[in-house]
């Protein structure tokens, strides 16, 4: 697969987001008028591309949890058709958006034009038991300074995001709570209850999770890497992309080992917005297991264009934390291998703190560690700025959440 193809996919995929959100109901002759307001809904924003009552009911469960349009909760009760998604060979952002529009929308929007959103996240995560060994935890900072380029200049403007807590309870599968950066779907702070922004794309929320936990205490988070995207190509396997994989695991895996086995059944395709970014996962479970999953280059094939090998790194306390460079020795000489400085300071803060506490932290100590490695906003660094810090208790299946580095105010959630 050639790199110019990736550029086309990126433009089309991200543009689809912009198109879906900015189009008015009158832009498509096949659309019905905006549906009547849902009783008890906390927003009157339209959802022009949805007509099904269950889908609309899902969208309008949305609650503004802090009153600023910064944090929304959605109780997702509609069928998001995971089996169809797993059979759709989704390989990119464009492919995921296409699936949402074709399988979850009731009316498909017209072709998009362009978008100027840049996506370059940087994050930190760790897994550790408490000192008594009575509970297990996973901590995760989601760091990303969303910016848009100011037309006609080389300057960028900061865009505040809307974060989403998404509750799912799919029939025959596992309940979960997951966290979504709304601006990856085009929703900035306050957009979802401004009486004008179209909410249709919220129907794709289950497929945009960046971290989450399920009813059995399995938790996972994804972190970025500066390397060519994973492009596995086993003809005997279906393709899934980065966030569809998270949905697969939250819905089906009880343990780290089950999650690893599930990932091995699919081709991972991690193309997002360009050909310079890859991803790895940290996962942990209520049994105390943890693992880093990376997709690496074949050391026996130096000409390999994209990473294709799935590597699982586990069973060692030094593998309890991860930031934004490869842990695997296989990638030592690559763009974001051990020689990279991408997230290296945060990594050593994580690792040294864990080591100094014998790789066990109280809940207070775990949140303090998230605070230590959180990032302030730096307008010239898109991988800065901690949007949220999530501390998952894998034993109680609960989450404590802090927004924008405010560690004096927490939001509490539990899978139930």
């Amino acid at each position: 697969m050639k790199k110019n193809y990736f550029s086309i996919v990126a433009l089309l995929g991200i543009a689809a987001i912009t198109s879906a959100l900015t189009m008015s109901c009158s832009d498509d002759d096949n659309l019905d008028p905006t549906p009547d307001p849902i009783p008890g809904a906390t927003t009157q924003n339209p959802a022009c591309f949805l007509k099904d009552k269950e889908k609309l009911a899902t969208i309008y469960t949305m609650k503004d949890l802090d009153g600023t349009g910064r944090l929304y909760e959605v109780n997702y009760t509609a069928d998001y058709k995971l089996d169809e998604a797993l059979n759709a060979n989704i390989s990119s952002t464009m492919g995921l958006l296409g699936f949402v529009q074709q399988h979850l929308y009731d009316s498909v929007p017209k072709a998009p034009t362009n978008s100027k959103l840049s996506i370059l996240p940087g994050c930190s995560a760790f897994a550790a038991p408490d000192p008594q060994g009575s509970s297990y935890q996973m901590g995760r900072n989601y760091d990303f300074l969303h910016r848009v380029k100011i037309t006609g200049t080389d300057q960028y403007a900061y865009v505040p995001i809307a974060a989403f807590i998404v509750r799912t309870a799919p029939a025959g599968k596992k309940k979960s709570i997951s966290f979504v950066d709304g601006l990856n779907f085009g929703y900035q702070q306050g957009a979802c209850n401004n009486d004008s922004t179209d909410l249709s794309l919220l129907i794709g929320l289950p497929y945009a999770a960046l971290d989450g936990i399920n009813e059995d205490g399995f938790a996972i988070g994804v972190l970025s890497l500066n390397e060519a995207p994973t492009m596995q190509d086993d003809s005997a396997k279906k393709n899934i992309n980065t966030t569809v994989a998270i949905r697969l695991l939250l819905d089906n895996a009880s343990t780290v080992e089950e999650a690893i086995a599930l990932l091995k059944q699919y081709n991972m395709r991690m193309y997002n917005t360009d050909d310079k970014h890859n991803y790895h996962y940290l996962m942990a479970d209520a049994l105390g297991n943890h693992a880093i999953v990376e997709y690496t280059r074949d050391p026996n094939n130096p000409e390999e264009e994209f990473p294709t090998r799935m590597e699982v790194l586990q069973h060692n306390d030094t593998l309890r934390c991860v930031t934004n460079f490869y842990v695997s020795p296989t990638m030592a000489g690559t763009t974001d291998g051990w020689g990279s400085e991408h997230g290296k300071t945060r990594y050593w803060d994580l690792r040294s703190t864990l080591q100094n506490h014998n790789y066990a932290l109280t809940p207070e100590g775990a949140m303090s560690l998230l605070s230590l490695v959180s990032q302030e906003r730096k307008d010239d660094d898109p991988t800065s700025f901690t949007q949220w810090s999530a501390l998952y208790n894998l034993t109680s299946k609960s989450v404590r959440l802090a927004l924008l580095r405010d560690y004096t105010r927490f939001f509490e959630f539990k899978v139930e």
Side-chain angles (χ1 to χ4, degrees):
M1 189 171 293
K2 302 301 182 183
K3 293 185 178 181
N4 61 352
Y5 169 81
F6 284 130
S7 299
I8 294 169
V9 169
L11 291 174
L12 291 175
I14 299 302
I17 297 174
T18 304
S19 173
L21 297 177
T22 59
M23 186 181 298
S24 70
C25 292
S26 61
D27 286 333
D28 191 324
D29 294 337
N30 296 320
L31 291 177
D32 290 335
T34 305
D36 293 333
I38 303 295
T42 59
T43 177
Q44 300 303 317
N45 286 43
C48 297
F49 303 104
L50 304 178
K51 301 172 184 174
D52 178 82
K53 290 183 179 180
E54 187 174 2
K55 295 175 185 177
L56 289 168
T58 284
I59 295 304
Y60 289 105
T61 64
M62 186 181 64
K63 299 176 183 178
D64 184 348
L65 296 185
D66 69 344
T68 70
R70 177 66 179 82
L71 182 64
Y72 297 101
E73 181 176 11
V74 172
N75 184 21
Y76 200 110
T77 58
D79 180 6
Y80 47 85
K81 301 182 180 180
L82 178 60
D83 290 342
E84 286 92 332
L86 296 175
N87 286 314
N89 278 313
I90 296 171
S91 298
S92 64
T93 301
M94 179 185 176
L96 177 56
L97 288 168
F99 174 83
V100 171
Q101 291 180 350
Q102 293 295 326
H103 292 267
L104 301 184
Y105 275 19
D106 299 314
S107 298
V108 180
K110 293 179 180 178
T113 53
N114 58 64
S115 173
K116 298 180 180 178
L117 195 64
S118 59
I119 300 179
L120 295 169
C123 309
S124 305
F126 64 86
D130 68 16
Q132 289 75 39
S134 57
S135 64
Y136 297 96
Q137 305 163 106
M138 189 183 89
R140 178 328 199 266
N141 279 347
Y142 172 63
D143 305 334
F144 183 24
L145 178 67
H146 278 284
R147 311 180 302 170
V148 290
K149 195 170 185 178
I150 301 172
T151 303
T153 75
D154 292 329
Q155 302 299 312
Y156 289 84
Y158 163 63
V159 182
I161 77 167
F164 287 87
I165 292 88
V166 184
R167 294 184 178 272
T168 55
K173 300 184 185 299
K174 302 181 188 303
K175 298 178 183 178
S176 70
I177 294 173
S178 58
F179 293 83
V180 173
D181 179 342
L183 208 51
N184 285 342
F185 269 175
Y187 296 107
Q188 65 184 61
Q189 181 174 0
C192 292
N193 49 358
N194 62 6
D195 297 333
S196 60
T197 300
D198 187 88
L199 302 182
S200 301
L201 203 51
L202 292 180
I203 205 68
L205 283 175
Y207 295 112
L210 300 172
D211 51 274
I213 183 173
N214 69 20
E215 64 181 65
D216 291 335
F218 169 81
I220 185 170
V222 64
L223 304 92
S224 70
L225 299 163
N226 288 336
E227 187 39 271
T230 297
M231 297 298 287
Q232 292 184 320
D233 194 20
D234 184 338
S235 61
K237 299 178 180 180
K238 294 288 188 179
N239 301 335
I240 55 173
N241 82 333
T242 314
T243 54
V244 173
I246 292 178
R247 178 49 49 198
L248 166 69
L249 301 185
L250 288 175
D251 282 12
N252 293 281
S254 295
T255 66
V256 166
E257 294 304 323
E258 288 182 5
I260 292 167
L262 282 168
L263 286 177
K264 289 179 178 178
Q265 296 176 24
Y266 295 87
N267 286 323
M268 180 62 71
R269 315 279 282 194
M270 286 186 164
Y271 180 71
N272 186 8
T273 60
D274 57 35
D275 60 351
K276 298 179 181 178
H277 295 92
N278 204 20
Y279 302 90
H280 54 182
Y281 299 106
L282 177 71
M283 54 183 70
D285 63 34
L287 300 177
N289 302 311
H290 62 278
I292 299 167
V293 175
E294 298 184 335
Y295 294 85
T296 63
R297 296 183 185 275
D298 183 351
N300 297 317
N301 183 11
E303 302 302 318
E304 186 177 55
E305 188 174 5
F306 304 107
T308 60
R309 298 194 323 150
M310 177 180 166
E311 287 195 44
V312 179
L313 302 110
Q314 59 187 152
H315 306 312
N316 189 312
D317 281 333
T318 63
L319 299 171
R320 288 189 175 277
C321 60
V322 67
T323 56
N324 302 113
F325 63 91
Y326 287 94
V327 175
S328 170
T330 303
M331 300 294 279
T334 62
T335 305
D336 227 12
W338 267 95
S340 169
E341 292 303 315
H342 188 198
K344 188 63 70 70
T345 299
R346 286 179 282 119
Y347 175 83
W348 286 117
D349 283 341
L350 287 168
R351 187 162 163 176
S352 62
T353 299
L354 288 167
Q355 184 177 26
N356 290 341
H357 291 83
N358 296 316
Y359 299 99
L361 297 170
T362 65
E364 295 76 17
M367 188 59 79
S368 293
L369 181 52
L370 289 174
S371 174
L372 174 66
V373 297
S374 67
Q375 298 189 74
E376 63 184 8
R377 173 179 159 187
K378 299 176 183 177
D379 289 342
D380 61 345
D381 180 5
T383 64
S384 71
F385 202 23
T386 299
Q387 299 288 345
W388 67 72
S389 298
L391 180 61
Y392 293 93
N393 187 310
L394 311 181
T395 305
S396 64
K397 291 77 174 178
S398 60
V399 192
R400 169 168 283 194
L401 184 77
L403 292 176
L404 297 173
R405 306 175 73 231
D406 181 358
Y407 298 101
T408 65
R409 183 189 184 194
F410 300 106
F411 298 85
E412 308 280 351
F413 307 96
K414 184 176 177 63
V415 183
E416 53 190 7

